[in-house]
Amino acid sequence: MAAGTNIFEDKHTNNWFKACIALNFTKKGLTDFVLTELHNVQTLVGRSCGQCFIQNLIPCPTQDVCKKRKGNNCSFHNSQQPKSCPTCDKVKQDITSFHRFNGPSWANTKAERWAMDPWEIGKCYLPRDGYSSVSSVQESDFNGVVSIMLNCTHFQTCLSAVCLCPPPPNKRCPLEKVRQIGRDVRHTADCKVTDADLQYFFLTLTTLLADPVRLLHDFSATEARRKLSDLQNDRLSLDDLGKLLKEANKTLTQAKEAGERFSEEAVRTLREGLNTLEAKILAGEQRLKNKAQAGEQSIENKTQAGEKIIENKTQAGEQRIENKTQAGEQSIENKTQAGEQRIENKTQTGEQGIENKTQTGEQSIENKTQTGEQRIENKTQTGEQSIENKTKAGEQSIENKTQTGEQSIENKTTSGEQCIENKTQAGEQSIEHKTQAGEQSIENKTQTGEQRIENKTQAGEQSIENKTQAGEQLIENKTQESINRINQAANEKELDEYERGVADLLKRLVNHYRDTVCYVPLSTLDPSLDKHVQDVYATPKIHKMKIENDGRRTQQEQILTYRDCFYRGDHLSRRTYLQGEPGSGKTSFASKLVHDWCNVHEPSTESKEQTAFGDVYTLHEFKFLFFISLRDSREQTHVTHMIQTQLIYKIYAADEWESANNLVLNIMRNVMYLVVQDGMDEWSGKEALPSMDGVPKDHCIVLTTSRPWKLADERIKNSQIDILMEVYGVIDSEGFSKRILRHLLDETKDLNETVKKFQIFLESHNLDSISSSPMLHTLVLCTWVDDMAESLTGSSRCELFTTLLENLCKKANPQMSYFDQYYPSPVNCFSRTKYVKPNMEHIDVIAKAAFSFLFSNEKETSLVFSDINLSAHLSASTKQFALHSGLISKRKSKKCYDNTSSFVHKTVQEFFAALHISNNTDVIDNVICKYLKSNSNSYLDISQVLIFLCGFNILAANKLSALMNQVNDVRHGFDHNVFQSVRHMFFHNVFQSVILSG
């Protein structure tokens, strides 16, 4: 019989009550599925020894497990102490590896039962509090079952990708939404649910139970979906409502044990609902009682009617037997008389026949006497004798027949009497049996009715007893509810703290990047004059590079979207490399990418539209971005340490470093993130690449920028490069000039007209090719604006950097002086300068220091060096000049004694090193020769030095070129391996390019 669930007068309260019931149905539907998969997890983690307790496997102290009491004793390890068990430790590690957040609830489980009971393994994935005494998945609550599915990553293989995308703890994760429904229902303040929310609850729960991978064909899940449909359409029976009352009591009990708290309004509403249900069940019991009484009366009436019918049937049967007996006797009597009459008639007929024959014979003998006396005489005696015999025989036959007839009649009479007697006894026996069977049937039905009534009565009494106990339990539950709510709030606080930590870190990173990475120097002439990357950025010319089978790298299609930088087809690539020559725009591209990522996660009102790389939504895939300047971490080898020193230590206070580092590692395990490593060629680690040890790699994407020679390192395998790109400057050099000039000119100058004049200047001075190097382009532009570019007669890099040096010297010392015959210029490029000569003493010392650092065997100090090492090469006055001019930059760290210095750009250091070689050619044999022999592929590292040297001193350049060629031939001349020969060919081609560039 269907019964509505409209327990309350208020519709929204009824909706809330239905939601409670729906959660119970869903939990039952998931139970068998979860238990089956926990058996599979038990197989995957391996078999424990069965002798170790969890206290033996957990070190003391362990956060969230150990509790110190007075006397510094740990209550958790009070009975058992930690010990080593390789078997159980392996199982414990595997359980941890399956935990989505690497934080199993060890206090819940019993390790000694891991080998026997998969539920004890499942309890490791439950919330930490309130589940240690839950002995089976059936006893667990809705929150516990869903928590296992969320926290244990094995369930990713048992559910469709839609259920866990985006992955937990993202609030948009469908399974997280299911858990949130449970929280919303349990923690309601007014116990009301709107119609729309209720339909959303039903849809969300039904969708989970119909997941196509496993649950769609699971019997329990199918049954749960049917019950949800009945509940949604008010088709539940009264018996189902009674079961729901028990489920409600059980839910409250489990909630108390799990440390959960209900609001006062929820308590009142549940009590009202339970009372209403109880009243309905009592009414049902009364109806059953009435039915039982009516049944007893019906059985009594039917018994009396049956007895009356049997009595009537018995009397009728006796009468029928009596009538049959009398009829049989009469029939036998009639037959006997008829037989006697027939025998009498036959006897008379026989006697008459004999008489007639006798007379006929006598007459015949008399008649024949006359015709033949002799014959008659002869025959008389025979005839007489024959007649005598015949007469005797006839008499004897008649006597025999008479006796036979009498005997037959006697037998028939006796047989008829016996048959009638047998039939009479059989009738009486049958009537007796039927009477007894009727009495027994009535007796059985009476006993069955009495037993059913007795059972119903006992069930009613038991139900009343259960209701009484439930009421007492409800009162006890109310006492514990405040404590349960506090414990639940503690669990939720932990999750809320994680979510707040994620939001806080995201905001700190965005603010940090917007203050640092998103600003780039307008020109190397004045590094302090920086501008926002968006204001001076021009679309780079980037091409994808294909690594051929023979090792050659060929240019492919141009890249104009972020998606092409990180995707191969529909799949994200883990390792992307952007290579480019010095000053080609690698760092600017990385800064623009960081700027776009910041705007995706915290939009800025200053964002501008862009045609190329406008698919910033691609960057939304990366929840976090960690930008690392490798030149600032030359002594570090691990990416995790670089993130600590460059990011965590700068955006958090010292007392927050440890917790912030743990938060970052936790985030890396759960969300997709991007690591940008800028300037790999400026990093001097012993390995080819920074170590990613300790970084969860499942969600990690890495973008690395570098000069091409660094990626030619044979230790970097082709298989380690998923996507390779190369930047060739900017696409629109005129547009780039316009962006720079906008920040250099005052408002009185016509911007468009000035851009045209500069383009004419580039063409007239054969400087069109500088567009491949935004750094040189900006350098020429800035010198042109300062009316100092007319001295440029070609595209020589030496001349460009001489102009740079001229301007930097002017900043530090505005004194002017020209080289002359008494003080000739050391190199031709300096001959027309007026600010170099007064500072030549400082420049020589700086050039020697640049050479010493660059060709040092201690790679970690070749580009970034300590203040102590710098002071060993430069006097106080020269160091002051270098800092004031901007040739060398000095950076402060958190430790006052650990300041570092570096040239403003690596090419500036290479320019000065080449200047020192030009004036001291003996270092080619004494220093550079040893350097080339001791460092593999070092000729690629000093390629820019050779190019500068060609502009300073062609004889020295030829000498260095010959040395480089000699060392290269010696290193590769005896290599007969085919693959190495191909690599040698590649290096040789690169080497020739270096020589030709010089």
Side-chain angles (χ1 to χ4, degrees), residues 25 29 163 194 235 260-261 291 319 370 389 522-523 536 577 617 653 671 760 912 927 998:
F25 285 162
C163 271
T194 65
R235 294 197 299 260
E260 194 166 0
R261 181 163 60 97
K291 291 271 188 182
Q319 185 62 46
Q370 294 177 1
N389 294 337
L522 192 61
S523 167
V536 297
Y577 290 86
Y617 57 86
V671 302
I760 294 173
F912 275 96
V927 178

Side-chain angles (χ1 to χ4, degrees), residues 671-788:
V671 302
M672 189 70 67
Y673 62 97
L674 174 65
V675 176
V676 178
Q677 301 178 145
D678 183 43
M680 190 174 72
D681 56 289
E682 301 182 62
W683 178 73
S684 58
K686 294 181 180 179
E687 300 297 328
L689 298 169
S691 172
M692 298 294 288
D693 292 348
V695 176
K697 300 178 181 60
D698 292 342
H699 307 95
C700 177
I701 306 298
V702 181
L703 169 64
T704 305
T705 68
S706 174
R707 293 189 188 181
W709 68 264
K710 182 66 174 181
L711 294 182
D713 191 327
E714 63 183 8
R715 293 176 298 171
I716 302 177
K717 309 300 182 184
N718 290 342
S719 60
Q720 294 177 299
I721 303 176
D722 297 323
I723 295 178
L724 177 62
M725 308 178 294
E726 184 159 0
V727 58
Y728 299 94
V730 297
I731 295 177
D732 182 10
S733 61
E734 186 174 345
F736 180 58
S737 300
K738 188 174 182 179
R739 285 177 175 269
I740 301 299
L741 285 170
R742 182 181 289 113
H743 298 283
L744 295 176
L745 300 177
D746 56 41
E747 296 179 355
T748 62
K749 299 285 184 69
D750 186 296
L751 179 60
N752 293 327
E753 186 65 25
T754 306
V755 172
K756 291 180 180 178
K757 290 180 179 180
F758 179 66
Q759 292 300 121
I760 294 173
F761 169 79
L762 292 180
E763 293 174 2
S764 64
H765 288 74
N766 194 25
L767 293 174
D768 295 338
S769 63
I770 65 171
S771 63
S772 64
S773 175
M775 180 187 71
L776 294 179
H777 187 103
T778 306
L779 173 63
V780 174
L781 182 58
C782 290
T783 56
W784 179 80
V785 170
D786 292 337
D787 295 326
M788 296 187 59

Side-chain angles (χ1 to χ4, degrees), residues 102-113:
N102 287 341
S105 303
W106 300 122
N108 281 339
T109 187
K110 297 179 180 178
E112 66 272 18
R113 295 184 57 80

Side-chain angles (χ1 to χ4, degrees), residues 129-131 141-144 182-187 251-252 254-262 477 480-489 491-492:
D129 298 324
Y131 289 90
D141 59 2
F142 177 82
N143 183 55
R183 291 173 176 170
D184 292 342
V185 171
R186 294 194 304 273
H187 301 160
T251 298
L252 288 174
Q254 292 173 345
K256 180 186 75 171
E257 295 173 353
E260 194 166 0
R261 181 163 60 97
F262 284 79
N477 291 342
Q480 296 294 328
E481 283 170 3
S482 58
I483 299 174
N484 297 341
R485 282 291 294 274
I486 292 173
N487 292 334
Q488 179 65 22
N491 294 336
E492 293 181 353

Side-chain angles (χ1 to χ4, degrees), residues 411-438:
N411 293 340
K412 291 289 185 180
T413 301
T414 302
S415 176
E417 292 174 348
Q418 184 62 40
C419 181
I420 291 170
E421 178 65 23
N422 293 339
K423 286 192 178 287
T424 300
Q425 292 178 357
E428 293 173 348
Q429 186 67 31
S430 175
I431 290 170
E432 179 66 22
H433 290 165
K434 287 189 178 290
T435 300
Q436 292 177 356

Side-chain angles (χ1 to χ4, degrees), residues 208-254:
L208 173 61
L209 291 169
D211 186 79
V213 178
R214 294 278 197 282
L215 290 170
L216 182 62
H217 307 293
D218 184 83
F219 175 78
S220 297
T222 302
E223 185 67 13
R225 293 198 302 273
R226 181 190 64 78
K227 289 185 177 181
L228 285 177
S229 177
D230 290 344
L231 175 63
Q232 187 175 8
N233 296 285
D234 287 325
R235 294 197 299 260
L236 290 179
S237 66
L238 188 61
D239 288 341
D240 288 335
L241 286 177
K243 294 177 181 178
L244 289 176
L245 180 61
K246 295 180 180 179
E247 289 293 333
N249 288 328
K250 184 177 180 181
T251 298
L252 288 174
T253 301
Q254 292 173 345

Side-chain angles (χ1 to χ4, degrees), residues 639-665:
V639 170
T640 52
H641 297 161
M642 298 176 187
I643 291 175
Q644 286 177 352
T645 56
Q646 292 194 33
L647 296 176
I648 294 177
Y649 290 172
K650 292 182 179 179
I651 64 178
Y652 285 97
D655 59 348
E656 298 176 305
W657 289 349
E658 182 178 358
S659 60
N661 186 58
N662 291 334
L663 175 64
V664 169
L665 292 177

